Amino acid sequence: MDFLKCMNNFPWNRFATVYETNSTSLKGIFIKMFNNLAEVSDYQYVIDRLECQETLYRITPWGLKFYICLLMEGKSNQAILLQNINELFEAANFNVQVDHSTNYKPTKGNLMKYEKIKSKLFDENFDGIMDADYIKTFKSIDRNFMQISIMDLIQQHISLFEDLTKSPNSSIAQSASLLVNSIHNPKKYEFGKL
C-alpha cells in the first residue's frame, strides 16, 4: 500500500470522530507518524478520536488499518502504535461480548454488506479511494460491525504482532507481548449480574 497516496485519497471528510463531524485532522497526524515526526501528544490525539470509553466509531477500523500499515512499514513509534492497537482490541472485545450478552444476530443483508466492506478494508493495496456506493454501504451497516471488523483485522495480522514480540527494541517487544497476550487471553466480562 502506498501510504501517502492512501492518506491523500481517503475521504476524511466523510467520517466523524468522537469530537468532530469529520476526521480531516487525523490525516496530517498519520502523515507525521509516517515521516517519524509525530510526538507523543499526536498519538494520544489519534487514539482519543478512534476510541472513547469503549465506544468505537466508523473511522476506527480505518485508523486500525493505518496503524497496521505503519507497523508493516516500520514507521513511527511502534511501541505506542502497539499500545493503541491493544486499546482498540480491548474496546472491540468488550463490545463483542456486549453483542453476545444481548444476543445480537446480524441480518443476511448486513453480512452481505460486510463482505463488500472487507473488499477495501482488508485490501493490502488499498489506495484510499471509496466511491459513494461503498461509503453508503459502510455507513449503513450495523454499528456492531465496527468491533467485528476490528477483531477480524487484528486476527488477520496476528503474525505481525507475534513477530514484533521478538524485536531487539525492548519497548516494542514489551508492547507487542502485551497485545498478543490480550488477543490470546481476552478479558471476560459479565453483564446483568449485580
Side-chain angles (χ1 to χ4, degrees):
M1 180 169 110
D2 182 332
F3 190 80
L4 294 177
K5 181 180 178 184
C6 181
M7 292 295 101
N8 288 319
N9 289 338
F10 190 80
W12 298 100
N13 60 331
R14 301 297 301 272
F15 291 91
T17 70
V18 177
Y19 302 108
E20 296 95 9
T21 57
N22 65 64
S23 56
T24 54
S25 58
L26 297 178
K27 173 184 174 183
I29 297 176
F30 274 115
I31 291 171
K32 281 174 71 175
M33 288 178 185
F34 181 81
N35 292 320
N36 292 314
L37 300 173
E39 298 180 21
V40 172
S41 59
D42 293 320
Y43 291 92
Q44 190 62 49
Y45 181 90
V46 171
I47 193 64
D48 285 347
R49 273 136 188 90
L50 297 179
E51 184 274 339
C52 182
Q53 297 178 344
E54 305 297 334
T55 303
L56 304 167
Y57 300 86
R58 297 206 184 265
I59 189 66
T60 308
W62 297 104
L64 174 60
K65 179 177 182 69
F66 301 146
Y67 280 162
I68 291 169
C69 183
L70 288 167
L71 282 175
M72 292 170 78
E73 294 275 341
K75 300 286 186 168
S76 65
N77 186 324
Q78 293 190 325
I80 295 177
L81 289 178
L82 289 160
Q83 291 164 18
N84 289 354
I85 292 170
N86 198 11
E87 194 168 326
L88 294 178
F89 173 81
E90 293 292 348
N93 176 51
F94 174 81
N95 283 285
V96 164
Q97 291 185 48
V98 168
D99 288 349
H100 290 304
S101 74
T102 60
N103 295 316
Y104 170 76
K105 301 279 188 259
T107 64
K108 193 180 285 187
N110 272 319
L111 292 171
M112 288 171 54
K113 287 179 184 180
Y114 187 52
E115 288 307 311
K116 181 176 181 177
I117 286 166
K118 289 191 324 186
S119 70
K120 291 191 183 286
L121 186 60
F122 289 76
D123 181 3
E124 297 292 334
N125 296 311
F126 177 61
D127 60 5
I129 296 173
M130 297 181 197
D131 61 24
D133 185 52
Y134 182 89
I135 292 172
K136 182 179 176 184
T137 301
F138 194 87
K139 289 191 167 199
S140 67
I141 197 168
D142 285 355
R143 202 169 234 316
N144 309 69
F145 282 89
M146 297 310 102
Q147 53 260 26
I148 292 167
S149 62
I150 287 170
M151 297 301 260
D152 289 349
L153 268 171
I154 287 173
Q155 285 301 320
Q156 182 182 356
H157 292 93
I158 191 139
S159 62
L160 168 67
F161 308 138
E162 288 173 340
D163 288 346
L164 289 169
T165 64
K166 302 172 191 110
S167 171
N169 180 310
S170 62
S171 295
I172 293 171
Q174 181 180 10
S175 294
S177 295
L178 290 171
L179 173 58
V180 169
N181 185 56
S182 293
I183 295 166
H184 290 307
N185 303 294
K187 186 174 180 180
K188 304 287 185 216
Y189 297 91
E190 291 188 26
F191 301 98
K193 296 181 181 178
L194 297 175

